[in-house]
Amino acid sequence: MAEHMHDIKRRIKSISSTERITNAMKLVSASKLRKAKAAYENSRGYMSGVLDDIRGVFEDIEDIPEVFVERSREIKNRCYVLITSSNGLCGSFNSNVIKALEAELARDNAGRDNALLVTIGTKGRDYFLRRGYQLLMTHDAPADTVDYAETRKISEPLIRMYLDGKIDEIKIVYTRYINTLRQEPAAVQLLPVKRENIDSLAEEKKLNHVIEYSPSPEEVFNYLVPKYLELTVFSVCMESATCEYAARRSAMENANDSARDMLSSLQTEYNHARQSAITDEIIEIVAGSEAQK
């Protein structure tokens, strides 16, 4: 009985130590979540302005430069930008976005020969590297470390390869932030530009004046599209980081709750064992006393 009580005390000590760690990680994730969410909301303001300008060009000119417009070329080679975490302990965050990319590859009938991957975060890199996919670029640090300069290093080679005809389509697969408790994987086609994607991301604004483009609407459009790619990658990295910290906070909170339930159950078990040991001792004392009479 004493050995059983010792085992229970050792388990209580171990789980208490784990509970303190998960509670600290929950608090850290909550703090990082607030910072990442603020950065994401700021980036959305800049991107919305670019999207509004692109939509305005769509509405104001008839001859959009075909190279950037959907159905302007046959789609043979595709590039997918995947954003995952570089750390674990965030629930199903990584597995969900990896499954989303696998579903996108299957939907596009894209195999190892005609699909290039750009990975941000080591979890996605390691997963697809083991499966023999071609990795065009990798960024191993977490998504919230991607600043705008790093975004340009990622997007500029993609734009060049797209204009040179080495890539016919660029999609980004990431985790979309709904709220603190809900995040969903999403895939968005960046190039060639889809009008419905611009409309869905841009803010609704009614303009009551005529816009003049200099030197020409076509030149403005050609300038805005690379900026759209850069800002989208940057904004999506911030959004994915927000989702990662929200998922980790939720996972650590669930781990905390489970640890507390286990501690409560073990404490009850320990009390029963201790009570049983005391009862046995009383019985032995009484029996010894009776034997001496």
Side-chain angles (χ1 to χ4, degrees), residues 85-97:
S85 165
S86 294
N87 302 303
L89 299 176
C90 49
S92 59
F93 173 81
N94 290 309
S95 60
N96 286 344
V97 71

Side-chain angles (χ1 to χ4, degrees), residues 159-185:
I159 286 286
R160 286 198 300 268
M161 293 180 71
Y162 180 82
L163 294 175
D164 292 341
K166 297 177 181 178
I167 296 174
D168 302 308
E169 186 179 78
I170 301 174
K171 289 184 177 181
I172 190 164
V173 183
Y174 67 104
T175 305
R176 178 177 293 153
Y177 182 80
I178 308 299
N179 54 50
T180 306
L181 299 177
R182 184 183 170 199
Q183 304 88 39
E184 296 178 349

Side-chain angles (χ1 to χ4, degrees), residues 123-160:
K123 298 298 182 180
R125 180 204 66 186
D126 295 343
Y127 182 89
F128 286 99
L129 193 61
R130 287 194 300 268
R131 284 154 181 78
Y133 281 88
Q134 304 176 63
L135 300 186
L136 183 62
M137 286 181 283
T138 61
H139 180 86
D140 296 342
D144 61 345
T145 65
V146 180
D147 55 17
Y148 192 74
E150 188 71 25
T151 298
R152 295 188 66 179
K153 293 179 183 178
I154 295 171
S155 59
E156 285 179 352
L158 296 182
I159 286 286
R160 286 198 300 268

